[in-house]
Amino acid sequence: MPPGPPPDLDDWVDAVQEAYQDASKQDGHVALAAHSLGCWAASTWLNKYPSSQICGAFMVAPPDPHGPTFPRQTAATFTGLSAQPLPRPAPVVGSANDPYCTPEAAAGFAARWEARWHLAGACGHLNSHQRPWALGSTAGYSWAR
């Protein structure tokens, strides 16, 4: 974990709300892009603000808050979460060898989020700094379920 305060779900949901408000002033077509714990912040925000005008969310590498490698002490506010149906389309992308989430668990989250599931192969935790990842482009994605 980088230095600084531990991640707090409420703070992250508030940050998503602020980012949405800023982005929606500039463009009427806003979509969320989330990675790791951000997937849980995005899904929590989507369910907290279901009437938002957001197109959808692109969620990559959600960690399993109940999995054996989840940083329970550091990310304690994320441990009680469970996936609930989302009010907007949301493709979920996971890896066959993500140390923070099995593909089965990620596919289960996608199913409970009522989202499209995509297995990207053996890509680790799908960090953008690892290597270019062509599948990560949302260009041309249809936000229809």
Side-chain angles (χ1 to χ4, degrees):
M1 299 282 319
D8 178 79
L9 180 62
D10 290 338
D11 288 346
W12 284 36
V13 170
D14 290 346
V16 173
Q17 175 63 12
E18 288 177 34
Y20 168 73
Q21 289 174 326
D22 290 345
S24 63
K25 290 175 188 171
Q26 299 172 31
D27 190 332
H29 302 295
V30 177
L32 297 177
H35 174 262
S36 196
L37 287 177
C39 296
W40 292 105
S43 68
T44 301
W45 181 86
L46 282 163
N47 282 313
K48 185 174 180 178
Y49 298 98
S51 63
S52 70
Q53 297 301 307
I54 199 146
C55 299
F58 183 66
M59 305 210 293
V60 178
D64 182 354
H66 307 289
T69 59
F70 191 81
R72 284 175 183 73
Q73 289 184 320
T74 305
T77 59
F78 290 79
T79 59
L81 296 173
S82 63
Q84 304 296 319
L86 299 176
R88 300 286 184 278
V92 177
V93 179
S95 170
N97 63 344
D98 187 333
Y100 299 106
C101 189
T102 66
E104 295 81 13
F109 300 148
R112 290 189 300 281
W113 280 326
E114 297 180 357
R116 292 183 186 173
W117 165 243
H118 301 277
L119 183 61
C123 303
H125 194 52
L126 290 167
N127 289 323
S128 61
H129 67 272
Q130 290 173 322
R131 61 187 159 114
W133 184 54
L135 293 174
S137 173
T138 60
Y141 180 79
S142 169
W143 292 103
R145 286 189 192 250

